Amino acid sequence: MEGSSRSEDIKTVQLLAKGVMEIYEPPLATINTHLKELTEKQETVHCMLTSERRKLEDLQNDAMLDAMLADIATNREQLVSITSSMKAMHKRVQTLQTRATNVEKAAKSRASQSQNQPSR
């Protein structure tokens, strides 16, 4: 009876680990793709801004230009914030995957230990 319970525990842990992977793996892949796209766009925008800043240095006193530059800085800060949030989420998913693997290994280890011990 106890052996079947261990077997059910292992199956449960495997199903939980599989479920966690099914839940987090697709969004993680999507996040990774989006992160690459955002980084590429950020680099493009950064190059464009540098070029435009050089062109507009003689117009620094123009109030409308100052407002636009402030908006650009705000947007860049938001992009950096999104990037760091995505990296943090990626880290959390990796931690969860590691924990799921460790739980599965522990359950298998317990099951094999209980099978190796003589019944009383």
Side-chain angles (χ1 to χ4, degrees):
M1 195 76 167
E2 189 174 315
S4 67
S5 175
R6 297 277 185 200
S7 175
E8 288 177 12
D9 289 346
I10 291 173
K11 287 179 184 176
T12 301
V13 168
Q14 288 172 340
L15 288 173
L16 286 171
K18 182 180 177 185
V20 167
M21 293 297 290
E22 286 175 357
I23 289 171
Y24 286 106
E25 204 167 36
L28 183 58
T30 303
I31 287 170
N32 193 25
T33 302
H34 289 175
L35 184 59
K36 285 179 184 177
E37 290 173 5
L38 284 172
T39 304
E40 290 169 5
K41 289 178 183 179
Q42 182 179 3
E43 282 298 317
T44 303
V45 168
H46 186 299
C47 291
M48 288 171 50
L49 289 175
T50 303
S51 173
E52 289 300 314
R53 179 172 279 165
R54 286 187 194 121
K55 292 178 187 176
L56 298 174
E57 280 179 350
D58 60 334
L59 300 174
Q60 287 180 2
N61 295 330
D62 187 279
M64 190 166 82
L65 177 61
D66 289 341
M68 288 172 58
L69 290 174
D71 286 346
I72 289 169
T74 302
N75 290 341
R76 185 179 186 292
E77 287 175 12
Q78 289 174 345
L79 182 59
V80 168
S81 174
I82 289 169
T83 301
S84 66
S85 295
M86 289 177 141
K87 286 180 181 178
M89 185 181 291
H90 175 72
K91 226 176 184 182
R92 285 178 30 213
V93 168
Q94 285 180 323
T95 302
L96 285 172
Q97 288 172 338
T98 302
R99 286 175 64 189
T101 301
N102 290 341
V103 167
E104 186 176 355
K105 284 179 183 177
K108 285 180 181 178
S109 174
R110 284 188 201 132
S112 68
Q113 286 177 356
S114 68
Q115 289 174 356
N116 292 336
Q117 292 179 352
S119 324
R120 292 182 186 193

